[in-house]
Amino acid sequence: MQSHIPKSNISPPLGILLAVVSGLLLFSSFVYLPYLSFISFIPLLFLIERSSPKRLFFYGLLAGFTLYIPLLSFILVMEVPIRFYLYFGVFLLWLYLSFYYGLWCSITKIMLKKIGSAGWIFSIALFVSFEFLRSLTKEIGFPWATIGYTLVPQKYLVQTADITGIAGLSFLIILTNILLYNSFKRPVLVIPLILTFSGVVGYGRWRIESFHKLHLATRNPESRITILVVQPNILPDVKRKGEIYTRAEVLKRASQTDLQPHLIIWPESALPGYMIEGSEPERIARQIVDSVGVPVLMGGSRISFKDRRVKVYNSAFFVEPHKGITEFYDKIHLVPFGERLPFDEFLPGLKKLEFGQGRFSPGEERTLFTVNGMRFGVLICFESIFPGYVRKFVKEGADFMVNITDDSWFGRTVGPYEHARMATLRAIETRRTLVRCGNTGISYIVTPDGNVKHKTGLFEEAVISDDIYPIPVETFYTKYGDVFSYMMLTIAILGIVGTWFSRR
């Protein structure tokens, strides 16, 4: 790899063009052609070698904006009382996420100037670390558009996620970009690239085959459960009118089946109002469950008056025939600025501000529900994009996971597709079946090897069903968590420290 780095010989118009090209390639890799992610950073790498750190921060910021503006534009479709706050908030989100790209470009340049070609190695760890850091906090964590998700459709390339998590896939993409770029001047670098892909694909094929053998060896009809997923396709205009009986009729009709399931799943916010004993939605839900004779997992709102404080939760309820609500789970990872203002628990004054956000409180503990001897955890909407959080459910004994959501507010944008894509990787990381139930789609069932079954379309009424078997396996990622990510973070810090003290 090169060690001599020219100060700057790129004109601003060309730099802007290359930055935009990188952003467009990244966006296209998320939405259209996944393999584009393997070359999408090359224009930025070209700029890194030939531009100053200050200018590179701008180029990286521009590349980030070019990626995030179209990829996150679906948020602007949401209906809020004051549109200005929504536009301003989304702009800040674009700026926040793009900031990491600008910072990465600048720091990579400085490392290359100070420590030579070793800077490329540290830059890989730095990029993966930035993606990891922006997913950590419960208050403002937002791991949307992590580049590793572009590989989800390629089943042999994503199986290593059961060791590294999503970070390993991002590592593979950045590594490929850097090796390809430098191979133009040092063709020998194609060899480690070929070896890397051979190892990743070989592991993927072996892992899928071993899972199939394990599944056949441990498959026991007596331990299985049959689930029924209801996608009612209740449109937002019906929700606004609060026509509870219209929605109840759709859910009841779709839940009546001859399949004799052990569990029926309804989406997030299945019925309007508070699901408390004696309320109208609770009474309707109980009547439907009693009539079908099958337990139902459903989303709804819960209100609590504990310690003379009124709290509202976005929750999942387990409703059993002739028993009513027996268990519930309160959503812990709330959407920042959508369901609540970050840090409002610590700064009560924030609750007085009105930006059109929800007034939900975060839940305090994970709940494992049990049906026919199998335990499962529930992820409500946004929670499905936090791999470390899903891992905790599995580590505590979940045999499978359920994701309930309602993406109807985002219309026919890229939002629902990207949201659905991210959830599929949770099945591979933990080797647990994941069942997704969306109000208007996309619903599906993902097997532990990442095979997506019974996938529904957007804005259609649908019912899907399948059998789930327990899988007696604990992955490296489930057992040890984000070890790979912390390893990348350590390497990145060492690179920055080494750069700081270098005299080159």
Side-chain angles (χ1 to χ4, degrees):
M1 299 183 187
Q2 278 188 301
S3 60
H4 173 66
I5 311 297
K7 184 178 180 180
S8 179
N9 57 10
I10 293 291
S11 65
L14 179 58
I16 291 173
L17 175 62
L18 291 174
V20 170
V21 168
S22 256
L24 290 176
L25 287 173
L26 277 169
F27 171 73
S28 299
S29 68
F30 275 101
V31 179
Y32 303 113
L33 298 172
Y35 288 118
L36 286 178
S37 61
F38 289 124
I39 62 170
S40 56
F41 285 86
I42 289 179
L44 273 182
L45 300 180
F46 181 82
L47 288 174
I48 286 173
E49 280 204 316
R50 292 163 176 81
S51 302
S52 65
K54 289 183 179 180
R55 191 171 289 178
L56 276 169
F57 181 80
F58 168 75
Y59 291 150
L61 200 69
L62 181 59
F65 264 93
T66 308
L67 163 64
Y68 291 118
I69 287 177
L71 195 64
L72 298 177
S73 60
F74 66 89
I75 303 177
L76 297 173
V77 181
M78 295 178 63
E79 294 191 5
V80 296
I82 305 176
R83 301 294 296 177
F84 169 76
Y85 292 142
L86 175 65
Y87 295 143
F88 182 66
V90 172
F91 173 78
L92 291 180
L93 178 62
W94 290 337
L95 183 64
Y96 165 68
L97 295 175
S98 301
F99 174 81
Y100 288 104
Y101 277 79
L103 196 61
W104 176 71
C105 288
S106 295
I107 294 177
T108 298
K109 173 67 175 189
I110 295 171
M111 288 193 296
L112 290 172
K113 290 177 66 176
K114 292 285 187 125
I115 60 177
S117 298
W120 289 121
I121 299 174
F122 291 117
S123 73
I124 299 172
L126 182 65
F127 189 93
V128 176
S129 299
F130 279 161
E131 287 195 328
F132 176 58
L133 289 173
R134 68 180 173 91
S135 71
L136 284 182
T137 66
K138 184 174 70 175
E139 296 292 336
I140 57 174
F142 195 79
W144 201 285
T146 299
I147 62 168
Y149 286 116
T150 62
L151 301 184
V152 167
Q154 319 307 318
K155 65 177 182 178
Y156 293 125
L157 293 179
V158 297
Q159 299 301 320
T160 55
D162 67 356
I163 300 174
T164 65
I166 180 65
L169 307 186
S170 294
F171 174 87
L172 179 63
I173 290 172
I174 298 296
L175 174 67
T176 302
N177 275 272
I178 288 178
L179 287 178
L180 280 177
Y181 174 71
N182 285 280
S183 68
F184 290 117
K185 294 182 179 180
R186 295 188 64 184
V188 70
L189 292 174
V190 173
I191 296 176
L193 183 60
I194 294 174
L195 292 175
T196 299
F197 268 84
S198 298
V200 170
V201 173
Y203 177 82
R205 294 180 65 90
W206 169 78
R207 205 69 181 92
I208 291 175
E209 290 175 2
S210 63
F211 163 74
H212 288 163
K213 292 178 181 178
L214 178 64
H215 178 60
L216 292 174
T218 59
R219 183 169 177 171
N220 183 359
E222 295 183 359
S223 64
R224 69 170 174 84
I225 67 166
T226 301
I227 54 98
L228 185 78
V229 178
V230 175
Q231 180 175 302
N233 191 35
I234 300 171
L235 300 179
D237 58 338
V238 175
K239 291 192 170 225
R240 279 192 293 268
K241 294 175 183 176
E243 296 177 353
I244 186 172
Y245 297 106
T246 300
R247 297 163 67 175
E249 184 61 32
V250 174
L251 292 167
K252 181 179 181 179
R253 181 180 67 248
S255 301
Q256 293 173 331
T257 175
D258 297 328
L259 295 175
Q260 297 183 332
H262 297 92
L263 175 67
I264 297 175
I265 302 172
W266 294 351
E268 178 188 21
S269 304
L271 292 173
Y274 296 117
M275 288 288 293
I276 55 178
E277 185 175 357
S279 67
E280 188 71 355
E282 189 271 342
R283 182 185 63 81
I284 292 174
R286 184 159 32 85
Q287 287 178 348
I288 296 175
V289 173
D290 289 347
S291 67
V292 298
V294 178
V296 169
L297 178 80
M298 60 173 291
S301 298
R302 189 178 77 87
I303 191 168
S304 168
F305 301 97
K306 185 178 180 180
D307 299 327
R308 297 183 179 181
R309 296 180 62 189
V310 178
K311 290 187 176 182
V312 179
Y313 299 93
N314 185 357
S315 306
F317 300 92
F318 192 66
V319 188
E320 296 188 72
H322 311 296
K323 294 182 180 179
I325 298 173
T326 55
E327 289 183 282
F328 60 84
Y329 161 72
D330 298 325
K331 184 177 181 181
I332 293 177
H333 279 274
L334 298 172
V335 180
F337 302 101
E339 292 178 314
R340 67 177 294 213
L341 286 179
F343 307 109
D344 62 1
E345 290 288 314
F346 309 102
L347 301 171
L350 292 176
K351 295 183 179 181
K352 299 178 181 180
L353 301 178
E354 178 56 62
F355 296 113
Q357 76 279 2
R359 298 293 183 180
F360 293 104
S361 296
E364 298 177 355
E365 61 182 52
R366 291 176 294 277
T367 302
L368 288 180
F369 302 95
T370 303
V371 58
N372 198 36
M374 288 183 66
R375 306 173 74 192
F376 67 94
V378 179
L379 309 168
I380 301 177
C381 187
F382 183 65
E383 292 181 314
S384 66
I385 70 176
F386 292 91
Y389 184 63
V390 180
R391 164 189 167 264
K392 292 178 182 178
F393 274 106
V394 177
K395 195 171 178 62
E396 291 169 2
D399 295 303
F400 68 98
M401 295 298 301
V402 175
N403 175 209
I404 58 174
T405 187
D406 182 4
D407 296 340
S408 62
W409 308 105
F410 303 140
R412 297 184 183 276
T413 64
V414 300
Y417 294 98
E418 291 306 308
H419 195 191
R421 174 186 292 191
M422 288 186 280
T424 62
L425 200 62
R426 306 292 85 85
I428 297 173
E429 291 164 343
T430 60
R431 300 299 174 185
R432 293 292 187 270
T433 296
L434 183 139
V435 182
R436 190 174 198 265
C437 177
N439 171 31
T440 55
I442 301 168
S443 302
Y444 53 62
I445 298 168
V446 191
T447 58
D449 63 345
N451 182 32
V452 180
K453 304 168 64 177
H454 314 299
K455 187 176 181 178
T456 66
L458 278 179
F459 294 102
E460 63 179 27
E461 186 176 333
V463 175
I464 60 177
S465 179
D466 207 344
D467 294 332
I468 298 178
Y469 295 84
I471 301 295
V473 64
E474 184 180 39
T475 67
F476 181 92
Y477 182 76
T478 299
K479 189 173 183 178
Y480 298 106
D482 295 300
V483 170
F484 184 83
S485 296
Y486 283 110
M487 184 174 69
M488 291 293 103
L489 185 59
T490 302
I491 294 173
I493 293 173
L494 290 175
I496 293 173
V497 172
T499 300
W500 181 268
F501 288 101
S502 175
R503 294 184 177 181
R504 179 172 175 176

